[in-house]
Amino acid sequence: MEKKRAALKKLLEAVEKEILRKPDRKALDRLSLFVGFQDWDSFQDALHGDASADENYK
């Protein structure tokens, strides 16, 4: 029983580590396209600045 508990704990730790991992740039760019921006940088500019998604559709 103790081996199963240790294996489950190890599995949960690995899953938690993967969930908390920062996505790579390619994934961020794809997510940005999904919400109407050309790339991650333009999404960040709109989020933290004066740009908007409308600029991407001119």
Side-chain angles (χ1 to χ4, degrees), residues 2-20:
E2 190 62 35
K3 285 184 180 182
K4 288 183 180 180
R5 190 171 297 179
L8 181 58
K9 183 178 179 182
K10 189 173 183 178
L11 175 64
L12 289 174
E13 288 173 356
V15 169
E16 183 179 58
K17 183 178 177 182
E18 186 65 25
I19 289 172
L20 296 176

Side-chain angles (χ1 to χ4, degrees), residues 4-51:
K4 288 183 180 180
R5 190 171 297 179
L8 181 58
K9 183 178 179 182
K10 189 173 183 178
L11 175 64
L12 289 174
E13 288 173 356
V15 169
E16 183 179 58
K17 183 178 177 182
E18 186 65 25
I19 289 172
L20 296 176
R21 187 176 61 100
K22 185 177 178 182
D24 63 356
R25 181 57 184 239
K26 188 175 181 180
L28 294 172
D29 284 341
R30 287 182 179 170
L31 286 171
S32 299
L33 282 171
F34 182 71
V35 295
F37 292 88
Q38 295 298 315
D39 56 18
W40 181 248
D41 291 330
S42 60
F43 175 68
Q44 288 295 302
D45 289 343
L47 190 62
H48 301 291
D50 298 329

Side-chain angles (χ1 to χ4, degrees), residues 35-38 42 46 50-58:
V35 295
F37 292 88
Q38 295 298 315
S42 60
D50 298 329
S52 73
D54 294 335
E55 292 178 6
N56 292 319
Y57 295 106
K58 288 183 179 179

